[in-house]
């Protein structure tokens, strides 16, 4: 396997732990780390939720600055190195307070909690939580509040959007989507099966929508793969060429904003413009993009987008999701004449998407709310908004520009450290044991770097990382995904991770690390293979 290509190093940079601490000290967002609860090594390894029988809910303290990298276990009370925000973001310290406030409102106000704001609560009345959440999310996606709806789950929203935007005809009925996420140089999976691995989030939705229209998925799906079979990423030029090639029979383009496996950040404005130039609507799956990169969905003319909130938006497992519908598609025109005809984009309608002025009149005429809110279906769970609103309060302490700026610095620093050779002896040089799949340009990636290990090393490396209190995401058979989240991760986190990771790679190569997590004691990762979790994280 080829060694990681060393990135351009910063002039005068020493890449020492002291330098990492100095970078943290000069980081204008460093104070936001204290807004999050960072699990300790003991938390992860303990077989119970509570410590000494008592639940502990408080914002994490700053990491102890010095770590003895020669010991096999981190201090039980030391915060772990959590670089897995691309899978599940950490819990904000204020989340528990917001949930408690909601429960208190429900307990003390009952049904009146739907309509009344309270001076001692930061939460809106139950009835208005969706509108308030949309107002706070809109700046993160570059939209007006009326173009955003916070509702349902990503998969459900994808179905709702495709029901409206996938309008196949006899001539134009195909859907273009990204279909190859795994490297071809190494994964021993037949090409036909490999094409569908990215589609684990969208495959069932897309196929069912196609079948719903009486069509066959094998005829109606166009899968974009890298033009060079040795590559893992897809160039913008290749995507544009595929859209142009299939424009005459394509009814919809559906792509990820940031590719979950490689971390590639697609050129959303260029690809959107190309689709529109051929009169094709385009939607974006932004699960790995919202809260990670700067987005300007309105200005880019995106037709629709969907996302989840449990990754970079730190809203908890299975958190309420969101969608964007461009204002041009959310218009509602009501005929002022006696006919009272209402014109709006076709959709799967529900009563919560109806005009608020008449919603509770339970009339027979559906008039949707103008904008994305008109695509809502049912009454959302007010409790589900509490974690999201708590996290959005933290985002409002800074800006996406600042978050993205720090993210670029963190991921570049990670790349530089991974690319540095530690030994003239190639047998002892960890950098010869892996390579980075993610694009080198910061403009073509988000926070995540995906690292492809030499075959056979992953299990032993993950055992070693777990023993040192490091949390990252694995993609079997040989990939580790590492995502420094700028709201709570530090340059020290990155420095410590790389040192532990490199040692783990060398130990795995020499066979000095147990290659299984099975054995005595509690494993933080025990059970993750149940129901194929490693495939869907």
């Amino acid at each position: 396997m080829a060694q990681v290509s060393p990135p351009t190093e910063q002039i005068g940079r020493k890449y020492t732990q002291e330098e990492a601490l100095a970078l943290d000290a000069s980081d204008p967002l460093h104070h936001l780390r204290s807004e999050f609860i960072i699990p300790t090594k003991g938390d992860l390894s303990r077989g119970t939720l509570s410590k000494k029988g008592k639940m502990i809910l408080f914002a994490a303290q700053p990491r102890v600055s010095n770590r003895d990298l020669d010991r096999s276990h981190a201090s039980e009370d030391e915060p772990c190195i959590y670089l897995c925000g691309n899978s599940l973001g950490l819990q904000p310290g204020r989340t528990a307070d917001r949930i408690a406030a909601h429960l208190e409102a429900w307990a003390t106000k009952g049904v009146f909690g739907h309509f009344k704001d309270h001076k001692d609560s930061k939460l809106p009345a139950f009835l208005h939580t969706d509108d308030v959440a949309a107002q706070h999310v809109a700046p993160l996606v570059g939209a007006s509040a009326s173009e955003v709806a916070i509702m349902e789950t990503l998969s459900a929203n994808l179905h709702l959007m495709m029901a409206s935007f996938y309008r196949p005809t006899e001539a134009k009925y195909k859907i273009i989507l990204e279909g190859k996420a795994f490297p071809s140089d190494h994964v021993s999976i037949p090409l036909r099966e490999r094409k569908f691995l990215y589609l684990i989030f969208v495959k069932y939705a897309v196929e069912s929508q196609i079948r719903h229209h009486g069509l066959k998925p094998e005829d109606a799906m166009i899968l974009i793969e890298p033009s060079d079979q040795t590559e893992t990423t897809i160039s913008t030029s290749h995507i544009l060429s595929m859209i142009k090639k299939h424009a005459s029979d394509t009814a919809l383009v559906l792509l990820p904003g940031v590719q979950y496996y490689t971390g590639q950040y697609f050129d959303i404005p260029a690809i959107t413009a190309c689709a529109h130039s051929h009169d094709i609507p385009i939607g974006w799956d932004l699960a790995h993009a919202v809260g990670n990169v700067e987005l300007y969905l309105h200005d880019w003319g995106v037709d629709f987008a969907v996302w989840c909130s449990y990754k970079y938006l730190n809203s908890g497992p299975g958190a309420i999701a969101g969608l964007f519908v461009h204002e041009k598609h959310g218009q509602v025109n009501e005929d002022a004449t006696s006919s009272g005809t209402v014109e709006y984009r076709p959709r799967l309608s529900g009563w919560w998407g109806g005009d608020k002025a008449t919603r509770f009149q339970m009339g027979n005429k559906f008039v949707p709310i103008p904008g994305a809110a008109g695509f809502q279906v049912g009454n959302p769970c007010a409790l589900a908004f509490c974690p999201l609103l708590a996290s959005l309060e933290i985002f409002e302490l800074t800006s996406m520009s600042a978050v993205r700026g720090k993210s670029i610095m963190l991921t570049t620093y990670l790349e530089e450290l991974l690319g540095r050779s530690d030994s003239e002896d190639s047998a002892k040089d960890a950098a010869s044991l892996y390579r980075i799949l993610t694009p080198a340009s910061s403009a073509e990636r988000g926070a995540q770097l995906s690292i492809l290990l030499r075959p056979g090393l992953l299990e032993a490396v993950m055992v070693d990382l777990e023993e040192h209190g490091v949390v990252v995401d694995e993609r079997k058979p040989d990939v580790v995904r590492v995502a420094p989240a700028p709201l709570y991760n530090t340059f020290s986190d990155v420095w410590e991770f790389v040192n532990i990771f490199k040692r783990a790679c060398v130990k795995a190569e020499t066979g000095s690390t147990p290659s299984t997590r099975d054995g005595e004691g509690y494993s933080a990762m025990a059970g993750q293979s149940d129901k194929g979790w490693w495939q869907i994280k």
Side-chain angles (χ1 to χ4, degrees), residues 17 30 33-46 51 56 58-69 71 73-83 90 465-471 488-490 492-494 496-497 500:
Q17 186 175 32
H30 186 67
R33 177 179 172 86
S34 64
E35 292 281 350
F36 292 86
I37 301 172
I38 301 175
T40 66
K41 170 61 165 64
D43 290 334
L44 296 180
S45 62
R46 194 168 50 248
K51 182 177 182 180
I56 301 174
F58 53 83
Q61 298 300 312
R63 179 183 303 284
V64 176
S65 61
N66 294 312
R67 175 192 288 271
D68 180 358
L69 292 174
R71 62 189 173 180
H73 296 276
S75 167
E76 290 289 296
D77 295 325
E78 183 180 354
C80 72
I81 302 173
Y82 194 91
L83 298 168
L90 287 179
L465 294 180
E466 181 181 350
E467 288 182 347
H468 283 84
V470 175
V471 183
Y488 51 78
N489 282 129
T490 65
S492 295
D493 284 336
V494 170
E496 292 183 57
F497 161 74
I500 296 169

Side-chain angles (χ1 to χ4, degrees), residues 17-36:
Q17 186 175 32
E18 290 72 25
E19 182 180 61
L21 291 169
L23 289 170
D24 289 333
S26 62
D27 171 21
L29 300 187
H30 186 67
H31 65 289
L32 296 179
R33 177 179 172 86
S34 64
E35 292 281 350
F36 292 86

Side-chain angles (χ1 to χ4, degrees), residues 108-124:
T108 60
K109 304 298 180 180
V111 70
F112 294 117
H114 279 94
F115 317 105
K116 293 185 177 181
D117 292 320
H118 303 99
K119 296 178 181 178
D120 56 350
S121 175
K122 291 182 178 293
L123 296 175

Side-chain angles (χ1 to χ4, degrees), residues 86-136:
N86 58 329
S87 184
L88 179 66
L90 287 179
Q91 182 182 140
R94 31 182 108 194
T95 299
D97 289 338
R98 300 298 174 267
I99 292 175
H102 171 79
L103 296 177
E104 183 71 10
W106 177 24
T108 60
K109 304 298 180 180
V111 70
F112 294 117
H114 279 94
F115 317 105
K116 293 185 177 181
D117 292 320
H118 303 99
K119 296 178 181 178
D120 56 350
S121 175
K122 291 182 178 293
L123 296 175
F126 307 158
L127 186 63
H128 305 303
T129 51
D130 52 345
D131 292 334
V132 172
Q135 292 168 12
H136 291 289

Side-chain angles (χ1 to χ4, degrees), residues 2-317:
Q3 182 176 338
V4 174
S5 299
T8 303
E9 298 183 357
Q10 300 292 322
I11 296 176
R13 182 159 285 178
K14 300 178 180 178
Y15 301 100
T16 62
Q17 186 175 32
E18 290 72 25
E19 182 180 61
L21 291 169
L23 289 170
D24 289 333
S26 62
D27 171 21
L29 300 187
H30 186 67
H31 65 289
L32 296 179
R33 177 179 172 86
S34 64
E35 292 281 350
F36 292 86
I37 301 172
I38 301 175
T40 66
K41 170 61 165 64
D43 290 334
L44 296 180
S45 62
R46 194 168 50 248
T48 61
L49 292 177
S50 60
K51 182 177 182 180
K52 295 181 180 179
K54 183 178 181 180
M55 293 297 293
I56 301 174
L57 292 174
F58 53 83
Q61 298 300 312
R63 179 183 303 284
V64 176
S65 61
N66 294 312
R67 175 192 288 271
D68 180 358
L69 292 174
D70 292 325
R71 62 189 173 180
S72 61
H73 296 276
S75 167
E76 290 289 296
D77 295 325
E78 183 180 354
C80 72
I81 302 173
Y82 194 91
L83 298 168
C84 205
N86 58 329
S87 184
L88 179 66
L90 287 179
Q91 182 182 140
R94 31 182 108 194
T95 299
D97 289 338
R98 300 298 174 267
I99 292 175
H102 171 79
L103 296 177
E104 183 71 10
W106 177 24
T108 60
K109 304 298 180 180
V111 70
F112 294 117
H114 279 94
F115 317 105
K116 293 185 177 181
D117 292 320
H118 303 99
K119 296 178 181 178
D120 56 350
S121 175
K122 291 182 178 293
L123 296 175
F126 307 158
L127 186 63
H128 305 303
T129 51
D130 52 345
D131 292 334
V132 172
Q135 292 168 12
H136 291 289
V137 172
L140 300 185
V141 298
S144 65
S146 65
E147 294 176 306
V148 174
I150 305 304
M151 54 185 278
E152 307 292 342
T153 64
L154 188 155
S155 295
N157 288 337
L158 182 58
H159 269 297
L160 292 170
M161 291 295 95
M162 292 186 69
S164 181
F165 286 90
Y166 178 50
R167 316 292 294 177
T169 64
E170 185 176 350
K172 303 187 72 170
Y173 60 93
K174 294 182 179 180
I175 301 176
I176 295 177
L177 62 164
E178 189 254 349
K180 181 162 180 278
F182 282 73
S184 60
D185 62 344
H186 177 97
V187 180
S188 56
I189 298 176
L191 180 61
R192 183 180 180 281
E193 296 178 31
R194 198 162 63 228
K195 289 179 179 179
F196 294 105
L197 287 173
Y198 160 66
L199 304 179
I200 195 160
F201 286 115
V202 300
K203 176 177 183 287
Y204 301 138
V206 170
E207 285 194 353
S208 64
Q209 289 283 339
I210 290 172
R211 294 184 191 279
H212 180 70
H213 288 280
L215 303 171
K216 295 180 179 180
E218 57 267 32
D219 297 331
M221 293 172 63
I222 300 171
L223 303 176
I224 301 180
E225 302 181 356
S227 54
D228 184 341
Q229 290 293 297
T230 65
E231 295 296 323
T232 57
T233 57
I234 305 175
S235 68
T236 299
S237 60
H238 182 51
I239 294 174
L240 301 185
S241 68
M242 288 292 287
I243 292 175
K244 294 174 184 177
K245 177 180 178 180
H246 297 280
S248 62
D249 55 6
T250 295
L252 178 68
V253 178
L254 179 62
L255 293 171
V258 174
Q259 214 284 332
Y260 87 103
Y261 183 79
T262 65
Q264 180 183 4
Y265 178 23
F266 288 102
D267 191 339
I268 297 176
I271 297 169
T272 298
C274 178
H276 287 170
S277 70
H278 295 281
D279 197 29
I280 305 171
I282 182 168
W284 292 90
D285 170 2
L286 301 180
H288 286 264
V290 175
N292 179 12
V293 295
E294 290 185 272
L295 300 167
Y296 301 94
L297 300 183
H298 175 85
D299 291 345
W300 292 341
V302 168
D303 293 299
F304 73 88
V306 295
W307 60 85
C308 57
S309 302
Y310 55 82
K311 301 178 188 297
Y312 297 100
L313 291 186
N314 313 302
S315 301

